[in-house]
Amino acid sequence: MISQKPHIIVEDSVQYQLGELKENQIHYDFDKLLIYLDVKGKLLFGKKFKIFEEDREIVFKLCNYFIQEEVNCKKLGIDINKGILLSGPVGCGKTSLMKLLPSIVPHHRIYQITPTRNVAFAFNHTGYKTIEHFGNQKFYCFDDLGVEPTGRFFGKDCNVMGEILLSRYDLFLKHKIKTHATTNLNAKELEDRYGNRVRSRMRQLFNLVAFEKSSEDKRI
């Protein structure tokens, strides 16, 4: 059941108001979103979690996308109808953010975060049924896109995630089903991994949101 006040979230008996409800529309406050994300992040990932000052711009972009703030998204060059491809160096916090940010919009449809290597391993066991499975109308966020092993079933190799992305592109065109992903690779590396055809589809499937190359490994 959808809460009648999705802008007010309770964690450990503490109430967090993320904005104001006016004329059946939520007007979010970014500073309040940051306060809640810090609290929720510590609950999900431990007391050492924090949102680093250098990541505020990335978090601002992603918050605007998740709350579907059309005016700001347009200024930021983000299409609210596409998915998110969040790229950046190893350990910069991509996966944590994609796990965390849906918590600010509990009334929105949730996606399942799935490591791409698990998808490749599943293909090795069940073959092309895996591609059919992930080509369904569920929402997914594919984690660590591009570093998964090549699939192999009955002696035949398959670029599993490449095929799935093509299927997800068709779903996007026909049913507006979004796909999200995280990756450590840059555009050239993704094209080398999946080919020009898939890379072309990815441009239409995703908004690219990128951490700086100099972003530190926060897991150290």
Side-chain angles (χ1 to χ4, degrees), residues 25-58:
Q25 187 173 9
I26 303 171
H27 296 264
Y28 288 93
D29 182 312
F30 183 57
D31 289 329
K32 291 179 179 179
L33 287 172
L34 283 179
I35 291 169
Y36 173 67
L37 287 171
D38 182 71
V39 170
K40 186 67 173 179
K42 285 177 168 58
L43 290 173
L44 288 175
F45 310 118
K47 293 182 179 179
K48 291 184 178 181
F49 174 85
K50 71 174 182 175
I51 294 174
F52 289 77
E53 185 63 32
E54 61 265 30
D55 296 338
R56 279 178 66 100
E57 184 179 343
I58 289 278

Side-chain angles (χ1 to χ4, degrees), residues 116 118-136 140 142 153 160-161 164 167:
T116 55
N118 290 4
V119 177
F121 294 152
F123 177 87
N124 294 343
H125 288 286
T126 63
Y128 289 88
K129 288 182 180 179
T130 300
I131 295 173
E132 292 175 15
H133 173 76
F134 287 104
N136 62 29
Y140 289 101
F142 294 108
F153 188 67
V160 181
M161 284 308 307
I164 288 173
S167 296

